[in-house]
Amino acid sequence: MPRWAIVQANGQAEASRYTVRRELEGSEAEALAALLHIVDTFEKAVTAAGIRRQKRRVFRVAERSYFVRVENRMSVEEAHFTLAELIADTHDDDLPDTVGG
């Protein structure tokens, strides 16, 4: 069964920090649904206190990649989420050690 990671990048250009937000195993459709759930719940349009954000925009960069920009009165939050498939792993006999095989 394929394994996936939802990668989150925060920051701008060279200063971006990449983290694995979630790892999961399953079909591509299941992994994509998990990605969309994370995108939809990142800095929701309304805060826990019920205050509506000034602007929350979601951009599809590619089929498995989304950019979220949330503007508040005093700050801007941005994150780029990408769904990545695990294709090489030195600790898994079912996968090659390198991308080249």
Side-chain angles (χ1 to χ4, degrees), residues 39-94:
V39 168
D40 284 343
T41 58
F42 175 78
E43 295 288 328
K44 291 183 180 180
V46 177
T47 67
I51 300 169
R52 186 161 188 79
R53 309 262 189 211
Q54 285 187 319
K55 189 182 288 188
R56 183 180 187 280
R57 296 186 289 176
V58 177
F59 299 88
R60 182 176 36 235
V61 179
E63 185 178 335
R64 297 183 188 167
S65 181
Y66 293 85
F67 178 76
V68 183
R69 181 178 175 93
V70 182
E71 298 176 16
N72 294 306
R73 294 177 196 263
M74 302 292 282
S75 66
V76 174
E77 296 290 328
E78 297 177 333
H80 185 182
F81 297 94
T82 304
L83 179 63
E85 182 178 7
L86 179 65
I87 59 168
D89 186 347
T90 59
H91 289 82
D92 187 334
D93 292 336
D94 294 336

Short mmCIF file of all heavy atoms in Angstrom, two decimals, residues 39-94:
data_model
loop_
_atom_site.label_atom_id
_atom_site.label_comp_id
_atom_site.label_asym_id
_atom_site.label_seq_id
_atom_site.Cartn_x
_atom_site.Cartn_y
_atom_site.Cartn_z
N VAL A 39 -5.66 21.48 4.67
CA VAL A 39 -5.75 22.80 4.03
C VAL A 39 -6.99 23.54 4.52
O VAL A 39 -6.93 24.72 4.86
CB VAL A 39 -5.76 22.64 2.48
CG1 VAL A 39 -6.15 23.95 1.80
CG2 VAL A 39 -4.41 22.16 1.99
N ASP A 40 -8.13 22.85 4.59
CA ASP A 40 -9.38 23.48 5.01
C ASP A 40 -9.37 23.92 6.47
O ASP A 40 -10.08 24.86 6.84
CB ASP A 40 -10.56 22.55 4.78
CG ASP A 40 -10.95 22.47 3.32
OD1 ASP A 40 -10.53 23.36 2.54
OD2 ASP A 40 -11.66 21.52 2.95
N THR A 41 -8.60 23.24 7.32
CA THR A 41 -8.60 23.57 8.74
C THR A 41 -7.43 24.45 9.16
O THR A 41 -7.39 24.90 10.30
CB THR A 41 -8.61 22.29 9.60
OG1 THR A 41 -7.47 21.49 9.27
CG2 THR A 41 -9.88 21.50 9.38
N PHE A 42 -6.50 24.74 8.25
CA PHE A 42 -5.39 25.64 8.58
C PHE A 42 -5.91 27.06 8.71
O PHE A 42 -6.47 27.62 7.76
CB PHE A 42 -4.32 25.59 7.48
CG PHE A 42 -3.19 26.57 7.69
CD1 PHE A 42 -2.19 26.30 8.60
CD2 PHE A 42 -3.15 27.75 6.98
CE1 PHE A 42 -1.16 27.20 8.80
CE2 PHE A 42 -2.13 28.66 7.17
CZ PHE A 42 -1.13 28.38 8.08
N GLU A 43 -5.76 27.65 9.89
CA GLU A 43 -6.20 29.03 10.12
C GLU A 43 -7.60 29.24 9.54
O GLU A 43 -7.80 30.01 8.61
CB GLU A 43 -5.21 30.02 9.52
CG GLU A 43 -3.85 30.01 10.14
CD GLU A 43 -3.82 30.60 11.54
OE1 GLU A 43 -4.61 31.53 11.82
OE2 GLU A 43 -3.02 30.13 12.35
N LYS A 44 -8.56 28.56 10.10
CA LYS A 44 -9.94 28.62 9.60
C LYS A 44 -10.42 30.05 9.37
O LYS A 44 -9.85 31.00 9.91
CB LYS A 44 -10.88 27.94 10.58
CG LYS A 44 -10.70 26.45 10.65
CD LYS A 44 -11.72 25.86 11.59
CE LYS A 44 -11.58 24.37 11.70
NZ LYS A 44 -12.56 23.80 12.60
N ALA A 45 -11.47 30.20 8.62
CA ALA A 45 -12.00 31.52 8.28
C ALA A 45 -12.51 32.26 9.52
O ALA A 45 -12.54 33.48 9.55
CB ALA A 45 -13.12 31.40 7.26
N VAL A 46 -12.88 31.49 10.56
CA VAL A 46 -13.37 32.08 11.81
C VAL A 46 -12.53 31.55 12.95
O VAL A 46 -12.24 30.36 13.02
CB VAL A 46 -14.86 31.72 12.03
CG1 VAL A 46 -15.36 32.27 13.35
CG2 VAL A 46 -15.70 32.25 10.88
N THR A 47 -12.10 32.43 13.87
CA THR A 47 -11.28 32.01 15.00
C THR A 47 -12.13 31.28 16.04
O THR A 47 -13.36 31.26 15.95
CB THR A 47 -10.63 33.23 15.69
OG1 THR A 47 -11.66 34.02 16.30
CG2 THR A 47 -9.83 34.07 14.71
N ALA A 48 -11.47 30.70 17.03
CA ALA A 48 -12.18 29.99 18.10
C ALA A 48 -13.10 30.94 18.86
O ALA A 48 -14.13 30.53 19.39
CB ALA A 48 -11.18 29.36 19.06
N ALA A 49 -12.76 32.22 18.88
CA ALA A 49 -13.59 33.21 19.56
C ALA A 49 -14.75 33.70 18.69
O ALA A 49 -15.53 34.54 19.10
CB ALA A 49 -12.74 34.41 19.98
N GLY A 50 -14.86 33.15 17.47
CA GLY A 50 -15.96 33.53 16.59
C GLY A 50 -15.69 34.77 15.77
O GLY A 50 -16.59 35.30 15.12
N ILE A 51 -14.45 35.25 15.79
CA ILE A 51 -14.09 36.45 15.03
C ILE A 51 -13.73 36.02 13.61
O ILE A 51 -12.90 35.14 13.40
CB ILE A 51 -12.92 37.19 15.68
CG1 ILE A 51 -13.29 37.61 17.10
CG2 ILE A 51 -12.48 38.38 14.84
CD1 ILE A 51 -12.13 38.09 17.93
N ARG A 52 -14.34 36.65 12.62
CA ARG A 52 -14.07 36.31 11.22
C ARG A 52 -12.73 36.91 10.78
O ARG A 52 -12.44 38.07 11.06
CB ARG A 52 -15.20 36.85 10.35
CG ARG A 52 -15.09 36.42 8.90
CD ARG A 52 -16.44 36.58 8.21
NE ARG A 52 -16.43 36.02 6.90
CZ ARG A 52 -16.54 34.73 6.62
NH1 ARG A 52 -16.66 33.87 7.59
NH2 ARG A 52 -16.54 34.30 5.38
N ARG A 53 -11.94 36.10 10.10
CA ARG A 53 -10.67 36.58 9.56
C ARG A 53 -10.95 37.61 8.47
O ARG A 53 -11.99 37.56 7.81
CB ARG A 53 -9.89 35.42 8.94
CG ARG A 53 -9.74 34.23 9.86
CD ARG A 53 -8.42 34.25 10.53
NE ARG A 53 -8.23 32.99 11.24
CZ ARG A 53 -7.54 32.88 12.34
NH1 ARG A 53 -6.98 33.94 12.87
NH2 ARG A 53 -7.38 31.72 12.93
N GLN A 54 -10.05 38.55 8.28
CA GLN A 54 -10.27 39.55 7.24
C GLN A 54 -10.28 38.93 5.86
O GLN A 54 -11.11 39.25 5.02
CB GLN A 54 -9.19 40.63 7.33
CG GLN A 54 -9.41 41.56 8.49
CD GLN A 54 -8.45 42.71 8.45
OE1 GLN A 54 -7.29 42.54 8.14
NE2 GLN A 54 -8.94 43.90 8.78
N LYS A 55 -9.33 38.02 5.60
CA LYS A 55 -9.28 37.39 4.29
C LYS A 55 -8.56 36.05 4.42
O LYS A 55 -7.51 35.95 5.02
CB LYS A 55 -8.52 38.28 3.30
CG LYS A 55 -8.61 37.80 1.86
CD LYS A 55 -7.81 38.69 0.93
CE LYS A 55 -8.48 40.03 0.75
NZ LYS A 55 -7.84 40.85 -0.29
N ARG A 56 -9.16 35.01 3.86
CA ARG A 56 -8.53 33.68 3.82
C ARG A 56 -8.66 33.16 2.41
O ARG A 56 -9.76 32.99 1.90
CB ARG A 56 -9.22 32.73 4.80
CG ARG A 56 -8.56 31.35 4.84
CD ARG A 56 -9.27 30.43 5.83
NE ARG A 56 -8.56 29.19 5.99
CZ ARG A 56 -8.63 28.16 5.13
NH1 ARG A 56 -9.40 28.26 4.06
NH2 ARG A 56 -7.94 27.07 5.35
N ARG A 57 -7.52 32.94 1.76
CA ARG A 57 -7.53 32.50 0.37
C ARG A 57 -6.73 31.21 0.22
O ARG A 57 -5.68 31.05 0.83
CB ARG A 57 -6.95 33.58 -0.54
CG ARG A 57 -7.82 34.83 -0.51
CD ARG A 57 -7.37 35.85 -1.48
NE ARG A 57 -6.11 36.44 -1.03
CZ ARG A 57 -5.42 37.32 -1.73
NH1 ARG A 57 -5.85 37.72 -2.89
NH2 ARG A 57 -4.30 37.79 -1.26
N VAL A 58 -7.25 30.31 -0.60
CA VAL A 58 -6.58 29.05 -0.89
C VAL A 58 -6.32 29.00 -2.40
O VAL A 58 -7.24 29.19 -3.20
CB VAL A 58 -7.44 27.84 -0.46
CG1 VAL A 58 -6.76 26.53 -0.83
CG2 VAL A 58 -7.75 27.90 1.03
N PHE A 59 -5.07 28.74 -2.76
CA PHE A 59 -4.67 28.65 -4.16
C PHE A 59 -4.23 27.21 -4.45
O PHE A 59 -3.45 26.64 -3.69
CB PHE A 59 -3.48 29.57 -4.46
CG PHE A 59 -3.75 31.02 -4.20
CD1 PHE A 59 -3.54 31.57 -2.95
CD2 PHE A 59 -4.22 31.84 -5.22
CE1 PHE A 59 -3.77 32.92 -2.72
CE2 PHE A 59 -4.46 33.19 -5.00
CZ PHE A 59 -4.24 33.72 -3.74
N ARG A 60 -4.71 26.64 -5.54
CA ARG A 60 -4.21 25.33 -5.97
C ARG A 60 -2.99 25.60 -6.85
O ARG A 60 -3.09 26.24 -7.90
CB ARG A 60 -5.25 24.55 -6.74
CG ARG A 60 -4.72 23.17 -7.14
CD ARG A 60 -5.70 22.25 -7.84
NE ARG A 60 -6.61 22.93 -8.73
CZ ARG A 60 -7.95 22.82 -8.63
NH1 ARG A 60 -8.50 22.07 -7.71
NH2 ARG A 60 -8.71 23.47 -9.48
N VAL A 61 -1.84 25.12 -6.42
CA VAL A 61 -0.60 25.29 -7.16
C VAL A 61 -0.46 24.18 -8.20
O VAL A 61 -0.06 24.42 -9.32
CB VAL A 61 0.61 25.28 -6.20
CG1 VAL A 61 1.91 25.43 -6.95
CG2 VAL A 61 0.46 26.39 -5.16
N ALA A 62 -0.81 22.98 -7.79
CA ALA A 62 -0.79 21.80 -8.67
C ALA A 62 -1.84 20.84 -8.12
O ALA A 62 -2.48 21.13 -7.10
CB ALA A 62 0.59 21.16 -8.68
N GLU A 63 -1.99 19.69 -8.75
CA GLU A 63 -3.03 18.75 -8.33
C GLU A 63 -2.88 18.33 -6.87
O GLU A 63 -3.87 18.13 -6.18
CB GLU A 63 -2.97 17.51 -9.22
CG GLU A 63 -4.08 16.52 -8.94
CD GLU A 63 -4.04 15.33 -9.88
OE1 GLU A 63 -3.50 15.46 -10.98
OE2 GLU A 63 -4.54 14.28 -9.48
N ARG A 64 -1.65 18.22 -6.39
CA ARG A 64 -1.39 17.80 -5.00
C ARG A 64 -0.72 18.88 -4.17
O ARG A 64 0.00 18.59 -3.24
CB ARG A 64 -0.48 16.58 -5.00
CG ARG A 64 -1.04 15.36 -5.65
CD ARG A 64 -0.03 14.26 -5.47
NE ARG A 64 -0.35 13.06 -6.20
CZ ARG A 64 0.51 12.08 -6.38
NH1 ARG A 64 1.72 12.17 -5.88
NH2 ARG A 64 0.15 11.01 -7.04
N SER A 65 -0.95 20.14 -4.49
CA SER A 65 -0.24 21.22 -3.82
C SER A 65 -1.14 22.46 -3.68
O SER A 65 -1.74 22.90 -4.67
CB SER A 65 0.99 21.57 -4.64
OG SER A 65 1.74 22.58 -4.05
N TYR A 66 -1.21 22.99 -2.45
CA TYR A 66 -2.07 24.15 -2.18
C TYR A 66 -1.31 25.18 -1.35
O TYR A 66 -0.51 24.83 -0.48
CB TYR A 66 -3.31 23.72 -1.39
CG TYR A 66 -4.23 22.84 -2.20
CD1 TYR A 66 -4.02 21.48 -2.28
CD2 TYR A 66 -5.29 23.39 -2.92
CE1 TYR A 66 -4.84 20.66 -3.04
CE2 TYR A 66 -6.11 22.58 -3.67
CZ TYR A 66 -5.89 21.23 -3.74
OH TYR A 66 -6.69 20.43 -4.50
N PHE A 67 -1.59 26.44 -1.62
CA PHE A 67 -1.02 27.56 -0.86
C PHE A 67 -2.15 28.28 -0.16
O PHE A 67 -3.17 28.61 -0.78
CB PHE A 67 -0.29 28.52 -1.82
CG PHE A 67 0.29 29.72 -1.14
CD1 PHE A 67 1.46 29.62 -0.40
CD2 PHE A 67 -0.34 30.95 -1.22
CE1 PHE A 67 2.00 30.73 0.23
CE2 PHE A 67 0.19 32.06 -0.60
CZ PHE A 67 1.36 31.95 0.13
N VAL A 68 -1.99 28.52 1.15
CA VAL A 68 -3.03 29.19 1.94
C VAL A 68 -2.47 30.50 2.47
O VAL A 68 -1.37 30.53 3.04
CB VAL A 68 -3.50 28.31 3.12
CG1 VAL A 68 -4.62 29.00 3.89
CG2 VAL A 68 -3.94 26.94 2.64
N ARG A 69 -3.22 31.56 2.30
CA ARG A 69 -2.83 32.89 2.82
C ARG A 69 -4.00 33.42 3.64
O ARG A 69 -5.11 33.55 3.14
CB ARG A 69 -2.51 33.84 1.69
CG ARG A 69 -2.09 35.22 2.15
CD ARG A 69 -1.75 36.09 0.95
NE ARG A 69 -1.46 37.44 1.36
CZ ARG A 69 -0.26 37.91 1.63
NH1 ARG A 69 0.79 37.14 1.53
NH2 ARG A 69 -0.10 39.17 1.99
N VAL A 70 -3.71 33.73 4.92
CA VAL A 70 -4.74 34.21 5.84
C VAL A 70 -4.30 35.57 6.37
O VAL A 70 -3.24 35.69 6.99
CB VAL A 70 -4.96 33.23 7.02
CG1 VAL A 70 -6.06 33.74 7.93
CG2 VAL A 70 -5.29 31.84 6.49
N GLU A 71 -5.12 36.58 6.13
CA GLU A 71 -4.81 37.93 6.57
C GLU A 71 -5.70 38.30 7.74
O GLU A 71 -6.92 38.16 7.66
CB GLU A 71 -5.00 38.91 5.42
CG GLU A 71 -4.07 38.64 4.26
CD GLU A 71 -4.33 39.56 3.08
OE1 GLU A 71 -5.00 40.60 3.24
OE2 GLU A 71 -3.84 39.22 1.98
N ASN A 72 -5.09 38.76 8.80
CA ASN A 72 -5.80 39.28 9.97
C ASN A 72 -5.51 40.77 10.06
O ASN A 72 -4.80 41.33 9.23
CB ASN A 72 -5.33 38.55 11.23
CG ASN A 72 -5.73 37.10 11.21
OD1 ASN A 72 -6.90 36.78 11.02
ND2 ASN A 72 -4.76 36.22 11.35
N ARG A 73 -6.00 41.40 11.08
CA ARG A 73 -5.78 42.85 11.22
C ARG A 73 -4.30 43.19 11.34
O ARG A 73 -3.84 44.16 10.77
CB ARG A 73 -6.51 43.37 12.46
CG ARG A 73 -8.00 43.29 12.35
CD ARG A 73 -8.66 43.76 13.64
NE ARG A 73 -10.03 43.34 13.71
CZ ARG A 73 -11.05 44.11 13.37
NH1 ARG A 73 -10.84 45.33 12.95
NH2 ARG A 73 -12.27 43.65 13.44
N MET A 74 -3.55 42.38 12.10
CA MET A 74 -2.15 42.72 12.40
C MET A 74 -1.14 41.71 11.84
O MET A 74 0.05 41.87 12.05
CB MET A 74 -1.96 42.82 13.91
CG MET A 74 -2.86 43.84 14.58
SD MET A 74 -2.46 45.51 14.13
CE MET A 74 -1.03 45.77 15.13
N SER A 75 -1.59 40.66 11.16
CA SER A 75 -0.64 39.64 10.72
C SER A 75 -1.12 38.94 9.45
O SER A 75 -2.28 39.03 9.07
CB SER A 75 -0.44 38.60 11.83
OG SER A 75 -1.64 37.88 12.03
N VAL A 76 -0.18 38.25 8.85
CA VAL A 76 -0.46 37.43 7.68
C VAL A 76 0.17 36.07 7.93
O VAL A 76 1.35 35.97 8.29
CB VAL A 76 0.13 38.05 6.39
CG1 VAL A 76 -0.06 37.11 5.21
CG2 VAL A 76 -0.50 39.39 6.11
N GLU A 77 -0.62 35.01 7.77
CA GLU A 77 -0.13 33.64 7.90
C GLU A 77 -0.16 33.00 6.53
O GLU A 77 -1.16 33.12 5.80
CB GLU A 77 -1.02 32.82 8.85
CG GLU A 77 -1.03 33.33 10.27
CD GLU A 77 0.29 33.10 10.99
OE1 GLU A 77 0.98 32.10 10.69
OE2 GLU A 77 0.64 33.93 11.83
N GLU A 78 0.93 32.35 6.16
CA GLU A 78 1.00 31.67 4.86
C GLU A 78 1.60 30.28 5.05
O GLU A 78 2.49 30.09 5.87
CB GLU A 78 1.89 32.44 3.89
CG GLU A 78 1.37 33.82 3.55
CD GLU A 78 2.31 34.58 2.64
OE1 GLU A 78 3.53 34.32 2.67
OE2 GLU A 78 1.82 35.45 1.91
N ALA A 79 1.10 29.33 4.29
CA ALA A 79 1.65 27.98 4.30
C ALA A 79 1.40 27.33 2.96
O ALA A 79 0.39 27.58 2.31
CB ALA A 79 1.04 27.15 5.42
N HIS A 80 2.34 26.50 2.56
CA HIS A 80 2.24 25.74 1.31
C HIS A 80 2.21 24.26 1.69
O HIS A 80 3.11 23.77 2.36
CB HIS A 80 3.45 26.06 0.44
CG HIS A 80 3.38 25.44 -0.91
ND1 HIS A 80 4.39 25.56 -1.82
CD2 HIS A 80 2.44 24.68 -1.53
CE1 HIS A 80 4.08 24.92 -2.93
NE2 HIS A 80 2.90 24.38 -2.77
N PHE A 81 1.16 23.56 1.28
CA PHE A 81 0.98 22.15 1.60
C PHE A 81 1.12 21.32 0.33
O PHE A 81 0.53 21.66 -0.69
CB PHE A 81 -0.41 21.91 2.20
CG PHE A 81 -0.62 22.62 3.50
CD1 PHE A 81 -1.23 23.87 3.52
CD2 PHE A 81 -0.22 22.07 4.69
CE1 PHE A 81 -1.44 24.54 4.71
CE2 PHE A 81 -0.42 22.73 5.90
CZ PHE A 81 -1.03 23.97 5.90
N THR A 82 1.88 20.23 0.42
CA THR A 82 2.10 19.36 -0.72
C THR A 82 1.96 17.91 -0.28
O THR A 82 2.45 17.52 0.78
CB THR A 82 3.51 19.57 -1.30
OG1 THR A 82 3.67 20.95 -1.63
CG2 THR A 82 3.74 18.72 -2.53
N LEU A 83 1.31 17.12 -1.11
CA LEU A 83 1.20 15.69 -0.87
C LEU A 83 2.35 15.00 -1.60
O LEU A 83 2.50 15.15 -2.81
CB LEU A 83 -0.15 15.16 -1.38
CG LEU A 83 -0.38 13.66 -1.22
CD1 LEU A 83 -0.40 13.28 0.26
CD2 LEU A 83 -1.69 13.27 -1.88
N ALA A 84 3.16 14.25 -0.86
CA ALA A 84 4.32 13.58 -1.43
C ALA A 84 4.22 12.07 -1.20
O ALA A 84 3.85 11.62 -0.12
CB ALA A 84 5.60 14.11 -0.77
N GLU A 85 4.56 11.31 -2.24
CA GLU A 85 4.54 9.85 -2.13
C GLU A 85 5.94 9.34 -1.80
O GLU A 85 6.93 9.77 -2.40
CB GLU A 85 4.07 9.23 -3.44
CG GLU A 85 3.98 7.73 -3.39
CD GLU A 85 3.48 7.10 -4.68
OE1 GLU A 85 3.31 7.83 -5.67
OE2 GLU A 85 3.24 5.89 -4.68
N LEU A 86 6.04 8.42 -0.85
CA LEU A 86 7.31 7.80 -0.49
C LEU A 86 7.70 6.83 -1.60
O LEU A 86 6.94 5.90 -1.89
CB LEU A 86 7.19 7.07 0.84
CG LEU A 86 8.43 6.34 1.33
CD1 LEU A 86 9.55 7.32 1.63
CD2 LEU A 86 8.11 5.50 2.56
N ILE A 87 8.87 7.04 -2.22
CA ILE A 87 9.28 6.17 -3.33
C ILE A 87 10.62 5.48 -3.09
O ILE A 87 11.00 4.59 -3.85
CB ILE A 87 9.33 6.94 -4.66
CG1 ILE A 87 10.30 8.11 -4.58
CG2 ILE A 87 7.93 7.41 -5.07
CD1 ILE A 87 10.62 8.74 -5.93
N ALA A 88 11.37 5.88 -2.07
CA ALA A 88 12.65 5.24 -1.74
C ALA A 88 12.81 5.25 -0.23
O ALA A 88 12.48 6.23 0.44
CB ALA A 88 13.80 5.97 -2.41
N ASP A 89 13.32 4.12 0.30
CA ASP A 89 13.49 4.01 1.75
C ASP A 89 14.52 2.92 2.04
O ASP A 89 14.34 1.77 1.64
CB ASP A 89 12.15 3.65 2.40
CG ASP A 89 12.18 3.67 3.91
OD1 ASP A 89 13.28 3.71 4.51
OD2 ASP A 89 11.10 3.62 4.51
N THR A 90 15.59 3.27 2.71
CA THR A 90 16.65 2.30 3.01
C THR A 90 16.22 1.29 4.07
O THR A 90 16.91 0.31 4.28
CB THR A 90 17.92 3.01 3.50
OG1 THR A 90 17.62 3.77 4.67
CG2 THR A 90 18.50 3.91 2.41
N HIS A 91 15.11 1.52 4.74
CA HIS A 91 14.65 0.63 5.80
C HIS A 91 13.43 -0.19 5.39
O HIS A 91 12.75 -0.75 6.23
CB HIS A 91 14.33 1.43 7.07
CG HIS A 91 15.56 1.95 7.74
ND1 HIS A 91 16.18 3.09 7.33
CD2 HIS A 91 16.27 1.45 8.77
CE1 HIS A 91 17.24 3.30 8.09
NE2 HIS A 91 17.33 2.32 8.95
N ASP A 92 13.14 -0.24 4.10
CA ASP A 92 11.98 -0.98 3.62
C ASP A 92 12.40 -1.88 2.46
O ASP A 92 12.84 -1.38 1.42
CB ASP A 92 10.89 0.00 3.18
CG ASP A 92 9.58 -0.68 2.83
OD1 ASP A 92 9.58 -1.87 2.46
OD2 ASP A 92 8.53 -0.01 2.91
N ASP A 93 12.25 -3.18 2.64
CA ASP A 93 12.66 -4.12 1.60
C ASP A 93 11.81 -4.01 0.34
O ASP A 93 12.23 -4.45 -0.73
CB ASP A 93 12.60 -5.55 2.14
CG ASP A 93 13.65 -5.80 3.21
OD1 ASP A 93 14.68 -5.07 3.22
OD2 ASP A 93 13.45 -6.70 4.04
N ASP A 94 10.61 -3.45 0.45
CA ASP A 94 9.71 -3.32 -0.70
C ASP A 94 10.04 -2.11 -1.57
O ASP A 94 9.52 -2.00 -2.68
CB ASP A 94 8.26 -3.22 -0.24
CG ASP A 94 7.77 -4.49 0.41
OD1 ASP A 94 8.34 -5.57 0.13
OD2 ASP A 94 6.82 -4.42 1.21
#
